[in-house]
Amino acid sequence: FRRVLFRSLAGGSGAKAMAVLAKAKPDGGMFYATTPTFVYTSLLSRPAASFRDLEPLVNIFYDPEVLYTATNSNFKTLEQVIEHARTGKGRWGAANPASLERQVMERLKQRTRVTPVVATFEGGGDMLINVLNHTLDMGIGELQEIRAQLDAGRVRILAVAGDARLSQYPDVRTVKEHGIDLSVRKFRGMAGPKGTPPAVIAAWEAAIPKLLADPAYQRIYTKNNLLPGFLPHAEYVKFMSEFGRQTEAFLKESGVIR
C-alpha cells in the first residue's frame, strides 16, 4: 500500500494526467495526487478532462501556508505589516497571479480593508529574494519553501494561514488568532476515476489513518513539513466542491477568467 501511495504522490499534476485518469477503468488500479494546482489547471485552460471529471477519494495531508518577512525588516508582527499597508505603501508578495497564495493575499486585503500592492512572481524563490531585500513587506508560501532561510535566521514567520499553530513554531499565532477571519488548507489527497467502487474507497478510508499514525511515517512527513489532514470520502467530496466554487469565483472576480 505504501508503495502505491508514494508512487501516486510522485505523479504530480497536469491536464494530461487528468485526462488519462478520467478515461481509466475504475478498478482501483490508477490514482491521481490532488493539490490546488489541479483545480487551477482545470479553470485556467480547457483540458480534455478537469477536476470535476475525477472522483475525490480522501485527503491525506495539508501543506502549511505561512506569512513571513525578513528577520531584519522593520516589521516584527503581522499587525505592523497591515498598519503600514493603511498608508498606501504596502507591498505584499505571492508566487504567481493565479494561485492559492494570491487568493489568500487578496482575501487578507479584503478582511483587513487595506490596499497594498500584491506583486506576483514565477515562483516562490523569486518572491523570497524580494522579501529578503525588503522590496516586499511580506510574502506567503509553504513552510518547506522558506525552510533554508528560516534555519539560517534570515526569515521570520508572522502568522500561520491555517486552522492551527505549527508544532515546530508553537508561539506563532494563526491569522485567525490575530482577529482576522481567514484560514486556508492547502490539501494533498487522492482522486480516482468516476465510479470508483465503494470497496476501493473504503480501503483508502481505512488505510490512511493507520498510515498517518505510523511513527516511522510520521517522522518522514513531519520532516517534510506536512501536517496530517485525513478527510474521508464524503467530506472530501464536499471540500473539493466548495474549494472549486471559491477558486472559480476568485478567478472571475480578479479578471483572470470570464
Side-chain angles (χ1 to χ4, degrees):
F1 173 80
R2 293 188 188 190
R3 288 194 297 272
V4 173
L5 176 62
F6 284 131
R7 187 165 62 245
S8 298
L9 289 176
S13 304
K16 184 176 181 180
M18 284 190 284
V20 170
L21 185 65
K23 295 179 180 179
K25 185 177 180 180
D27 58 2
M30 185 179 294
F31 305 101
Y32 182 87
T34 55
T35 70
T37 301
F38 94 123
V39 176
Y40 281 93
T41 298
S42 298
L43 295 172
L44 291 171
S45 59
R46 295 183 179 180
S50 78
F51 74 97
R52 295 188 176 95
D53 297 309
L54 308 182
E55 180 71 23
L57 301 179
V58 295
N59 193 59
I60 304 170
F61 298 115
Y62 293 125
D63 231 339
E65 293 275 1
V66 296
L67 300 170
Y68 66 91
T69 190
T71 302
N72 61 358
S73 77
N74 293 325
F75 307 107
K76 308 303 179 186
T77 66
L78 178 60
E79 288 84 358
Q80 290 177 344
V81 174
I82 292 171
E83 284 305 310
H84 179 66
R86 297 192 192 283
T87 68
K89 299 179 181 180
R91 297 166 299 183
W92 301 353
N96 61 67
S99 65
L100 179 61
E101 290 78 12
R102 174 63 184 273
Q103 188 172 340
V104 172
M105 286 306 210
E106 292 296 336
R107 288 180 179 175
L108 185 59
K109 286 173 56 177
Q110 294 171 357
R111 303 287 163 80
T112 57
R113 299 182 180 181
V114 296
T115 56
V117 172
V118 177
T120 55
F121 300 84
E122 289 297 322
D126 291 338
M127 182 185 62
L128 176 58
I129 291 172
N130 281 271
V131 172
L132 291 173
N133 66 22
H134 301 173
T135 299
L136 298 174
D137 304 330
M138 74 172 174
I140 181 172
E142 299 169 11
L143 191 59
Q144 186 65 17
E145 289 179 330
I146 63 172
R147 168 58 63 189
Q149 299 301 326
L150 269 174
D151 292 344
R154 299 183 65 192
V155 165
R156 176 191 302 112
I157 301 177
L158 297 170
V160 178
D163 295 331
R165 298 188 186 193
L166 304 177
S167 59
Q168 306 98 311
Y169 304 96
D171 295 331
V172 179
R173 293 181 291 166
T174 66
V175 174
K176 279 192 173 183
E177 287 179 307
H178 283 80
I180 305 167
D181 186 18
L182 177 63
S183 179
V184 64
R185 291 187 286 179
K186 191 166 188 177
F187 57 89
R188 293 183 181 272
M190 300 297 294
K194 289 287 187 182
T196 296
V200 172
I201 296 173
W204 280 106
E205 290 181 320
I208 293 300
K210 294 178 182 178
L211 179 64
L212 292 174
D214 180 88
Y217 194 53
Q218 283 181 341
R219 288 192 290 272
I220 294 172
Y221 65 74
T222 300
K223 183 178 180 180
N224 285 277
N225 302 298
L226 292 171
L227 299 176
F230 173 67
L231 288 178
H233 176 63
E235 291 182 32
Y236 200 40
V237 169
K238 293 179 181 178
F239 173 86
M240 288 303 310
S241 177
E242 180 61 15
F243 182 85
R245 185 193 67 78
Q246 291 181 359
T247 300
E248 185 171 18
F250 163 71
L251 293 175
K252 287 182 177 178
E253 289 170 5
S254 56
V256 177
I257 63 174
R258 295 182 179 180

